[in-house]
Amino acid sequence: MQRIPTLIRHSLTLLAFAATAASAQNYPVKPIEWVVPYPAGGGSDVVARSLTEAMGQALGQPIIINNKPGAATNIGADYVAHAKPDGYTILTGDTATLAANPALYAKLSYSAEKDLAPIGLLARFPMILVVNPAIPVKNLAEFMAWAKTQKSGVSYATPGAGSPHHLATELFRGTTGLNLVHVPYRGAAPAVQDVAGGQLPFMFVDTASGMGFINAGRLRAIGIASPQRVKNFETIPTLNEQGLKGFEAYAWQGLAAPAGTPADVIAKLNKTLVDALNSTPVKARFQVLGLEPTPSTPAQMGSYAKAEREKWAQVIRTSGIKLD
């Protein structure tokens, strides 16, 4: 009598395993929801929409963008973290979601490390130190000398407290010892416009948001926060080559799924993503936007996110930044 329940349990386990394997093998059988935790039309939205057509064609199912902005990406991240882990709900996880927010918020309704599984990196936006053209500086040395003459400190714009732009500037402040005063805006567009208009003297801007203003001469680029010069921005020297050794700051994005999503589903999404990032149309689109495509494995994305969490947590602690 004792063997029957045991046999039943084994049978149910085998059936569940077979069903999971079959589901993963046939995946996807319906449209996929890609959650972008920002408003439509922004840089993150554009990146996602640049990839959905190629990925959807390869997967044989449409990928539908669902914009869920708010709370520094936490609304969209919470939605995906608690979605069914079947590969039909995925997330643009970025510097905020996966690196900064765990240190910025005392309490989160999700764990960036435990509740979200990495699929692969998407792209990164190198940060550029830019000034209003009326500021009499053309390189880092001149900027440093000018800033030190401003007795009340130098105000700088960001798209908001805790944004990658804010964190990059706080890292810059800690590295240089300059007296800098944060002026947060509600989004990148008004921040960039006010620096270009002369209301504030400088900021760190991402390549996508700043390219048009730099090319039009409305912002002067002082240096880029990447190890090497960036394609389409070759005339802008790195801050590293101007003496700020090892200084790097990016806004970056990756694709994530709810933790527990089957490994072979993650692998299928990763392959499709990497193929799309390596395709000529996507490369061309990203180049126009000043983006660096960053194809990776899930493990590489996980390692990168962990390193970024540790890096920015230190900056956040040193700066005393809190969002709740």
Side-chain angles (χ1 to χ4, degrees), residues 43 46-47 50 123-126 128 206-215 230-234 277 279-293:
V46 171
V47 168
S50 298
R124 61 183 185 178
F125 310 62
I128 306 174
D206 62 87
T207 48
S209 300
M211 176 183 282
F213 288 86
I214 293 169
N215 290 341
V230 175
K231 195 168 185 179
N232 276 10
F233 293 90
E234 290 92 343
L277 288 170
S279 68
T280 300
V282 170
K283 282 184 173 179
R285 176 64 170 154
F286 279 19
Q287 185 172 329
V288 169
L289 295 171
L291 303 178
E292 296 180 8

Side-chain angles (χ1 to χ4, degrees), residues 171-242:
L171 178 63
F172 179 71
R173 181 181 65 80
T175 304
T176 61
L178 293 175
N179 181 14
L180 305 178
V181 181
H182 182 210
V183 181
Y185 284 73
R186 299 185 72 175
V192 175
Q193 288 166 0
D194 269 12
V195 175
Q199 282 78 15
L200 290 173
F202 91 100
M203 71 180 295
F204 272 86
V205 67
D206 62 87
T207 48
S209 300
M211 176 183 282
F213 288 86
I214 293 169
N215 290 341
R218 297 184 62 195
L219 291 174
R220 178 181 298 134
I222 300 300
I224 196 161
S226 59
Q228 294 87 32
R229 298 196 185 197
V230 175
K231 195 168 185 179
N232 276 10
F233 293 90
E234 290 92 343
T235 59
I236 304 174
T238 68
L239 294 171
N240 182 76
E241 69 186 84
Q242 295 183 73

Side-chain angles (χ1 to χ4, degrees), residues 31-34 51-52 55-56 59 61-65 90 269:
I32 297 166
E33 179 185 15
W34 183 330
L51 292 162
T52 52
M55 290 180 65
L59 291 167
Q61 291 288 341
I63 300 177
I64 311 301
I65 297 295
I90 56 179
L269 285 167

Side-chain angles (χ1 to χ4, degrees), residues 63-142:
I63 300 177
I64 311 301
I65 297 295
N66 182 5
N67 296 95
K68 283 188 170 293
T73 77
N74 289 329
I75 290 175
D78 176 76
Y79 175 84
V80 175
H82 295 99
K84 187 176 180 180
D86 55 8
Y88 291 100
T89 310
I90 56 179
L91 170 76
T92 294
D94 65 355
T95 317
T97 312
L98 301 177
N101 286 356
L104 289 169
Y105 291 87
K107 292 183 180 180
L108 287 174
S109 58
Y110 68 95
S111 167
E113 194 167 3
K114 296 178 181 178
D115 295 333
L116 293 169
I119 295 171
L121 291 168
L122 299 174
R124 61 183 185 178
F125 310 62
M127 292 290 179
I128 306 174
L129 173 62
V130 296
V131 299
N132 179 277
I135 305 300
V137 302
K138 293 183 179 178
N139 55 48
L140 180 61
E142 291 178 357

Side-chain angles (χ1 to χ4, degrees), residues 19-37:
T20 301
S23 174
Q25 185 177 2
N26 297 328
Y27 170 87
V29 296
K30 63 180 182 179
I32 297 166
E33 179 185 15
W34 183 330
V35 175
V36 175

